[in-house]
Amino acid sequence: MKYRMFLTVCLLVLGLGSTGYIQGQQNFKDLVGPVQVGPVRQTSPMTVPFITWGGDMATFYANGGLTTRTGTIFNKQGLNLKLEAGDNFIQQVRDYMSGKTPFLRGTFRMIGIASEVIGADPRTRGVVIMQLTWSAGDHMVVRSNLRTISDLKGKTVVLQQGGPHVGMLDDILKTARLSWSDIKVVWAKDLTGSPQSPAEMFRKDPNIAACFAITPDMIGLCGGLQNTGSGAEGTVRGARVLVSTAELSRSIADVYVCRKDFYDENTEAVLKFVAGYFKACEEVLKLKKDYESKGSAPYMELLRLTQSIYGKDVIPTLEEDAHGLLSDCTFVGYPGNVEFFTKQNNLHGFEAFLKSSLDLAVGQGYARQRAEFLPSGFDYSQPIFTNYLANITVQKRERFRAEVVQKEIEELSSGGALDERTIITFTINFEPNQTDFSTNRYGSEYQRVVEMADKYANAVIAIRGHSDPTKTLYDLVKAGIAKGVLQQSGSRGNYQYSFKGKPLDITETESILKLIEAGAFDGVTDYNPRQTMQAALNLSRKRAEEVRDTIIAYCRSKGLELDQSQIQAVGVGIREPFIAKPGNMDEARQNMRVEFRLIRITAEAESSTVFDF
């Protein structure tokens, strides 16, 4: 079972108590309190904080334990480190400011929350020296009345104050084009294991529409990532995961930050620490792969080491809990860091995260003013990287298998389960015979698609073309009457129909389509609803493909990267009209649309992950 993500760091991230919950935000500077800035006290051994997260297992591996052991990666780099638990993030910041350690360990958004404090003195201004991982193990669980994230508007959401789920919620709201003022937030003090945790508050209070949870609590609420709670075995009836970092895979970025004064005076030591961590990632991932295919004694040693450091209360078992902890994160390594810090127009790079983190910190009251921190500034072509590491290039592969994705979307549509897998949907409309889908007209919607594709890197965006059924219905009526199988009665605007003597409601699209597909109206020379329906399907597919191609061209013109396998064009035809029998052109235009759906798909459709190089 994959879980324990940020278990302790979220419990203590703001140094809060273990009972009750909070009604409002607190300024981070007030929480830290007065602290005297001092020089880094000791460099051998050098204190380095870690948190409860799978990405830190590579640090344990490189060091051989809490102190640097002979023959380990860090030892061979000439480093002497003392690893200390940093799950109390407030205390981490105090230690950083006072000089006990030159490093901070957290998520990018957590560093943003602390930005005003650490940026108040030029000596302690933060330099982000590396990204460790992306999260793949956090979840937003919702009740049955929330179909997509757009339905969050006006709803109550519970999450723990100050942890990484704050940034995750911020990303979700932006996806839905909502603001924090559009929802009601209840701040829980505890992450898990108490009546004041988000999962338990969601369980007890039906007025709470959504909660953020780590994997074990998610399973307790709904039974699993693809399941819906039945009410049995402690689950909440109708509860399901609407968003997970399994899809929202570029939301929670783990980083190390170094004090500016220490970085300037000890750049070589910092480089060695970063390069050593990258090397450890390579070796740990290889051991993990060996373990999963044929077993690995060294990997089991790492799992035992992790259990000894975190304790059996956090890691009860090796193969389920320790291995699951590592599996809940996606390592980015050297290739991911090069991309994060140096790639131009990177929507999930350093500059983008810096802006969103400071926007969040100031906007939600953690900071009173913006205080930027700095990128590593490393020359990644240095021999300390290129001559030392095995994986120094990003392996660019299409992430999804197009034929599998297309089949899965078709099965979801025909089986009526597409809505259950949809995170959000929105549409653009067009005029009859329109062929221009340019960025001049739809640029804001295309930018929205690109941003979704980047942030939700393990989800698929289906571009679904829809057509108006008016012409098909007209041909159906004419053909049916000509064949003598359809009778029409009543007056214009209020016609009633019967098929072979039985009432037929032509607004029941599914029934009408079945009759057409069965050949009920075939054989009339001048009117062929089957042919008209197929033409509408072909046209809807063509329009979807034109929109997809325009989005791809838009990305190229902006210098933005887009995995084309993530964008799938689908023709729906007349199967899903907004108005089944339009009475005028305004109603018909509502059916003439291209719909964008962000869809959670199964692992079978993926050909690669975002990184884990």
Side-chain angles (χ1 to χ4, degrees), residues 390-566:
N391 298 308
I392 60 173
T393 58
V394 177
Q395 300 296 321
K396 290 297 181 183
R397 302 182 297 268
E398 288 194 341
R399 192 171 304 119
F400 302 97
R401 295 184 289 167
E403 67 283 358
V404 178
V405 171
Q406 286 276 359
K407 182 179 179 181
E408 188 166 322
I409 292 174
E410 290 174 3
E411 290 175 349
L412 289 171
S413 300
S414 61
L418 187 60
D419 286 347
E420 296 176 8
R421 296 280 196 89
T422 297
I423 297 171
I424 191 170
T425 182
F426 62 95
T427 64
I428 58 174
N429 291 90
F430 50 84
E431 299 295 325
N433 303 315
Q434 179 180 329
T435 58
D436 177 24
F437 295 91
S438 68
T439 56
N440 291 333
R441 184 166 185 172
Y442 300 111
S444 62
E445 286 86 358
Y446 294 167
Q447 180 65 28
R448 185 178 184 183
V449 171
V450 174
E451 291 173 358
M452 285 196 313
D454 184 82
K455 190 66 71 175
Y456 296 79
N458 286 337
V460 163
I461 297 175
I463 301 176
R464 307 174 79 234
H466 295 261
S467 297
D468 178 63
T470 300
K471 181 64 168 63
T472 302
L473 293 177
Y474 177 82
D475 284 0
L476 178 149
V477 170
K478 292 293 186 180
I481 292 174
K483 286 186 68 173
V485 296
L486 189 72
Q487 291 77 45
Q488 177 181 282
S489 60
S491 58
R492 183 178 180 86
N494 192 32
Y495 286 130
Q496 295 178 341
Y497 300 92
S498 60
F499 177 75
K500 295 183 178 180
K502 295 182 179 180
L504 177 65
D505 185 351
I506 64 173
T507 66
E508 292 184 357
T509 302
E510 186 174 349
S511 298
I512 291 297
L513 294 179
K514 287 180 179 179
L515 287 173
I516 294 174
E517 291 167 348
F521 307 99
D522 289 353
V524 178
T525 302
D526 295 329
Y527 304 100
N528 190 333
R530 182 197 293 271
Q531 187 178 64
T532 307
M533 184 176 69
Q534 183 62 48
L537 177 62
N538 295 342
L539 180 61
S540 70
R541 183 184 299 112
K542 181 180 178 182
R543 282 173 171 154
E545 290 171 349
E546 288 174 349
V547 169
R548 179 200 60 197
D549 294 345
T550 304
I551 291 173
I552 292 170
Y554 170 79
C555 286
R556 288 173 180 160
S557 70
K558 297 289 184 179
L560 301 173
E561 184 176 286
L562 179 69
D563 182 349
Q564 295 185 29
S565 72
Q566 192 181 4

Side-chain angles (χ1 to χ4, degrees), residues 298-350:
Y299 186 75
M300 290 300 298
E301 290 180 12
L302 174 60
L303 300 186
R304 280 189 285 271
L305 175 62
T306 301
Q307 186 185 56
S308 69
I309 290 174
Y310 288 141
K312 290 188 177 182
D313 56 333
V314 174
I315 307 292
T317 68
L318 298 180
E319 297 193 359
E320 182 176 8
D321 298 285
H323 177 62
L325 183 68
L326 186 68
S327 300
D328 251 1
C329 60
T330 303
F331 288 90
V332 303
Y334 171 89
N337 276 265
V338 174
E339 181 176 280
F340 188 75
F341 287 109
T342 68
K343 184 179 178 181
Q344 296 295 312
N345 300 316
N346 187 354
L347 297 179
H348 57 272
F350 174 85

